[in-house]
Amino acid sequence: QVQLVESGGGSVQAGGSLRLSCVLSVSGYRYSSYYMGWFRQAPGKEREGVAAIDIDGSTSYADSVKGRFTISKDNAKDTLYLEMNSLKSEDTAMYYCAAEKMVRAGLALDPRWYNYWGQGTQVTVSS
């Protein structure tokens, strides 16, 4: 049983910052053995990968957020974070965290690889 619960979304003006959190609850496996990622979906658009972190801590980012967003995880707290700075109106979307035990190398930002999803948290950036 895998459960993910996001928090930290909200409304902010362009240029502002937000930090999203995602708590992973899993029975039978160590939290640290999961690939984790943040994804977002804006109305009328497909879900897209934002940032991902694999089991050894290596990270990957979508080009649109590089230099502005930082993904991190705290294995002791079973929590994934997404620090978002210099937010733009185009960052407005529902943000989801996801987890999976195995993700093919180079495909960590592809949502099709993830089977476990949170309920999402809304981020709205006004210009």
Side-chain angles (χ1 to χ4, degrees):
Q1 183 94 14
V2 177
Q3 291 184 323
L4 299 130
V5 179
E6 303 99 333
S7 62
S11 297
V12 64
Q13 289 191 330
S17 299
L18 283 173
R19 188 175 81 157
L20 306 183
S21 299
C22 173
V23 178
L24 171 67
S25 300
V26 56
S27 59
Y29 292 94
R30 293 173 54 192
Y31 164 81
S32 60
S33 65
Y34 280 80
Y35 290 77
M36 304 284 294
W38 286 100
F39 299 81
R40 66 187 181 187
Q41 188 167 17
K45 294 188 177 181
E46 292 187 354
R47 190 169 297 189
E48 63 175 356
V50 175
I53 186 165
D54 65 21
I55 56 177
D56 68 3
S58 298
T59 58
S60 54
Y61 295 92
D63 288 343
S64 59
V65 306
K66 280 180 181 177
R68 300 189 297 122
F69 291 10
T70 302
I71 188 172
S72 62
K73 63 178 181 176
D74 186 334
N75 291 334
K77 296 182 178 180
D78 294 347
T79 302
L80 180 73
Y81 301 100
L82 184 68
E83 188 75 36
M84 304 185 294
N85 298 314
S86 302
L87 283 162
K88 305 175 181 179
S89 57
E90 50 263 45
D91 295 319
T92 295
M94 185 71 79
Y95 282 71
Y96 301 89
C97 70
E100 187 53 65
K101 288 199 64 62
M102 177 58 66
V103 176
R104 188 171 179 178
L107 297 177
L109 295 179
D110 186 341
R112 294 173 295 180
W113 277 94
Y114 294 81
N115 285 308
Y116 305 107
W117 293 86
Q119 83 288 351
T121 185
Q122 179 68 37
V123 172
T124 303
V125 184
S126 57
S127 57

